[in-house]
Amino acid sequence: MSESAALTELSFTVSGRVSRPVAEVYEAVADPAQLSRYFATGGARGRLEAGGDVTWDFADFPGRFPVTVVESDAPRRIVVEWEGEHAVATSGTTRTVFEFEPIDEGARTLVTITESSWKATTEGSAAAFGNCEGWTGMLAALKAWVEHGINLREGFYR
């Protein structure tokens, strides 16, 4: 970025490797029953498929959050938008992209999560950093769930 270019939008990317095939890892994110077991501590409703009616609830942020599934391309990619108080978009949403890449001859999956559309302000950066922490925790919980059937978030927020 040149010195004269102003920062107008914040985004971040987190990634991790899960020792399971890509279809299994994708399903653990797309399926609300599985997502409720390790991530949406208050429950997930609706499969992550384009056009679906989806909500997530979290013990640490009570209340159902509506999630709009913009794109779903099993087993490689899911794109969602959901409300962000300090989002750049006039819709007031941020965009989160989940990408699933088979690695190690398909034995493992690289999961990459990118969230964008945060305002380049003090409040926007605090919100982005908070969500970055949340997605990093989600990746760790996804790995523990898919590989070992362990829910890392159980009792973590209550």
Side-chain angles (χ1 to χ4, degrees):
M1 177 163 61
S2 70
E3 289 183 37
S4 62
L7 181 63
T8 59
E9 183 178 321
L10 303 175
S11 67
F12 60 83
T13 299
V14 297
S15 61
R17 289 151 186 81
V18 179
S19 295
R20 290 291 186 269
V22 70
E24 187 177 339
V25 177
Y26 180 96
E27 190 61 22
V29 175
D31 175 23
Q34 289 192 65
L35 200 62
S36 296
R37 295 294 309 270
Y38 70 88
F39 177 58
T41 51
R45 292 186 185 158
R47 185 171 174 79
L48 292 181
E49 291 179 336
D53 182 20
V54 177
T55 60
W56 292 342
D57 195 353
F58 302 92
D60 48 332
F61 290 99
R64 293 219 159 266
F65 291 90
V67 178
T68 301
V69 184
V70 176
E71 177 185 335
S72 56
D73 182 17
R76 299 301 185 114
R77 181 177 164 96
I78 300 170
V79 180
V80 301
E81 291 181 349
W82 61 330
E83 188 176 310
E85 187 176 339
H86 301 286
V88 171
T90 56
S91 62
T93 60
T94 64
R95 177 170 282 214
T96 305
V97 178
F98 301 85
E99 295 177 296
F100 306 87
E101 178 185 342
I103 56 174
D104 298 335
E105 299 178 11
R108 297 192 316 151
T109 303
L110 173 63
V111 181
T112 301
I113 302 172
T114 301
E115 188 170 57
S116 59
S117 300
W118 294 101
K119 290 180 182 176
T121 62
T122 300
E123 297 83 3
S125 63
F129 282 128
N131 277 24
C132 184
E133 176 186 352
W135 290 124
T136 302
M138 184 268 200
L139 281 175
L142 169 67
K143 181 175 179 66
W145 174 253
V146 173
E147 291 182 12
H148 307 287
I150 297 170
N151 180 354
L152 291 180
R153 293 171 67 98
E154 186 172 327
F156 196 82
Y157 294 105
R158 298 183 202 194

